[in-house]
Amino acid sequence: MPTLSEGVRHLPGFLDRAAQEALVEAVRAVVREAPLFVPVMPRTGKEMSVRMTNCGSLGWVTDKERGYRYQEVHPITGKPWPAIPESLLALWADTAGYPAPPQACLVNFYTETARMGVHQDRDEDEFAAPVVSVSLGDSCLFRIGGTRRGDKTVSVKLQSGDVVVMGGAGRLAYHGVDRIYPGTSTLLRSPGRINLTLRRVTKPGSDAAT
């Protein structure tokens, strides 16, 4: 097991098969209400290789004109995001060590060829809350470093049911997904990986808090 950045915890096999299957059904219900869409990079408009959606009172989006941000409605349907499933709220309560619930759950779907470049999750106002990430489906090679882009990185193979918590000194660690390992899971109907990322966006008690 590689040594991860301070504040970063890898919880292998946190969800058993039954819990994973139930969570996939909950995600499918979210997607029926808030369809997957292809996000694009700010300024360039280049499409990302993942498809995404959200659930919660806020959702993370990006486009060429306005860049990275959180908003209350789906960018295509204009409807509010569906609620975060109760099972994910319970998972947050079990792992986050933070007194307020998450406001956003980003749903990323990776095909066999999708990637995610190394980046920080820093579009939130509340860095005291961790980012809690859940892996479902095919395994991936997850890379994580320190809080500076040039810091040394380590790679971890994340499997279906694994949870990663990025908090404390590791809240702003650079991280990304270098590859998907097709055929390593039978959880999903077709090859690929779902990543669920729970986030607190605003400080509890702030005017914007929900």
Side-chain angles (χ1 to χ4, degrees):
M1 177 72 67
T3 301
L4 301 179
S5 304
E6 182 182 355
V8 179
R9 292 181 288 141
H10 175 210
L11 308 175
F14 188 85
L15 297 176
D16 64 19
R17 177 73 183 209
Q20 293 173 46
E21 291 173 350
L23 189 49
V24 168
E25 289 306 312
V27 170
R28 287 178 178 143
V30 166
V31 171
R32 284 194 292 270
E33 192 172 343
L36 293 167
F37 60 94
V38 179
V40 301
M41 299 291 290
R43 296 184 297 278
T44 66
K46 180 181 178 181
E47 291 186 347
M48 295 185 178
S49 62
V50 298
R51 289 183 293 157
M52 63 165 285
T53 189
N54 292 271
C55 53
S57 57
L58 295 171
W60 186 88
V61 300
T62 174
D63 54 34
K64 181 178 179 180
E65 294 75 21
R66 297 175 59 195
Y68 307 132
R69 65 192 185 279
Y70 285 92
Q71 62 184 41
E72 296 177 348
V73 298
H74 191 289
I76 297 174
T77 68
K79 296 180 179 179
W81 306 104
I84 297 174
E86 289 296 326
S87 57
L88 285 176
L89 295 177
L91 186 148
W92 171 274
D94 288 342
T95 60
Y98 185 78
Q103 294 165 296
C105 177
L106 175 62
V107 180
N108 279 331
F109 178 73
Y110 292 76
T111 63
E112 300 176 41
T113 58
R115 307 284 186 272
M116 182 67 71
V118 173
H119 65 283
Q120 290 177 303
D121 292 345
R122 60 175 310 117
D123 297 318
E124 303 75 33
D125 294 328
E126 176 58 312
F127 293 149
V131 171
V132 177
S133 173
V134 183
S135 294
L136 297 170
D138 285 339
S139 300
C140 79
L141 189 65
F142 176 71
R143 182 153 54 103
I144 188 164
T147 56
R148 295 176 298 180
R149 183 173 288 276
D151 288 347
K152 181 181 178 181
T153 62
V154 297
S155 296
V156 181
K157 190 173 184 180
L158 298 181
Q159 299 177 319
S160 192
D162 287 7
V163 170
V164 173
V165 182
M166 298 170 53
R171 171 59 179 79
L172 292 175
Y174 278 90
H175 60 285
V177 173
D178 287 338
R179 64 169 296 189
I180 304 297
Y181 296 95
T184 49
S185 172
T186 59
L187 182 68
L188 306 180
R189 294 170 181 164
S190 56
R193 172 181 182 257
I194 295 171
N195 179 234
L196 308 173
T197 309
L198 294 160
R199 302 170 180 173
R200 179 77 195 184
V201 182
T202 64
K203 298 179 184 297
S206 68
D207 291 341
T210 55

